[in-house]
Amino acid sequence: MLHRSIDDNWMVVAETREAAEALIESNFDMKLVQRAHKMRRLDCYEAMIGLPREEQFDFFMELDQVTLTTRTENHKNGTEHWSEVLQQPESIGRIGGSFRAYFTAKQRAAFVAHFGGF
């Protein structure tokens, strides 16, 4: 059951268009973006309670993936109001961080190369 490491948590899998534009325009000022979960963590927890114990961790890890959004996109319920969601290309690699995501210089270059043509 515990086949993933704790390093897998809060894995960035996408960015909204507004977040990607803000990052590029600000030279990656991470204070402009926040991690947003697909499902509120309390809702995830409540949904997990009814699952068999051996399925709970995988269920949690699947929903613990995040999208980088702007602050205004993140502070509302749901995801319908987000700008277009852009999938994170594998060329960028895993975005690190615990409470705030960060990009290495190599990841910044790959990000700009991929998303820079808005």
Side-chain angles (χ1 to χ4, degrees):
M1 174 173 80
L2 298 176
H3 63 275
R4 297 179 184 156
S5 72
I6 211 65
D7 290 335
D8 290 333
N9 71 334
W10 293 348
M11 183 169 53
V12 175
V13 296
E15 294 81 20
T16 64
R17 178 174 290 277
E18 287 183 18
E21 289 173 350
L23 285 172
I24 291 169
E25 290 171 6
S26 70
N27 195 26
F28 290 83
D29 180 353
M30 298 308 290
K31 291 180 244 162
L32 299 177
V33 297
Q34 295 180 337
R35 293 174 297 99
H37 294 269
K38 291 192 268 186
M39 176 186 269
R40 283 183 8 170
R41 294 187 124 191
L42 180 59
D43 294 339
C44 179
Y45 170 76
E46 289 174 351
M48 261 180 17
I49 296 302
L51 294 175
R53 185 171 186 198
E54 59 275 1
E55 294 177 23
Q56 290 178 355
F57 185 73
D58 286 337
F59 178 83
F60 174 77
M61 292 303 288
E62 175 65 28
L63 291 175
D64 207 37
Q65 298 175 358
V66 298
T67 298
L68 293 180
T69 65
T70 62
R71 288 174 177 250
T72 55
E73 289 175 310
N74 193 23
H75 287 286
K76 297 179 182 175
N77 289 329
T79 61
E80 298 79 27
H81 60 279
W82 289 358
S83 58
E84 177 186 4
V85 175
L86 310 168
Q87 294 304 307
Q88 175 100 346
E90 289 184 25
S91 62
I92 294 174
R94 187 182 186 289
I95 303 302
S98 55
F99 290 101
R100 177 171 286 154
Y102 64 87
F103 289 78
T104 65
K106 185 177 179 181
Q107 288 172 320
R108 289 178 185 197
F111 190 93
V112 171
H114 186 81
F115 292 121
F118 290 117

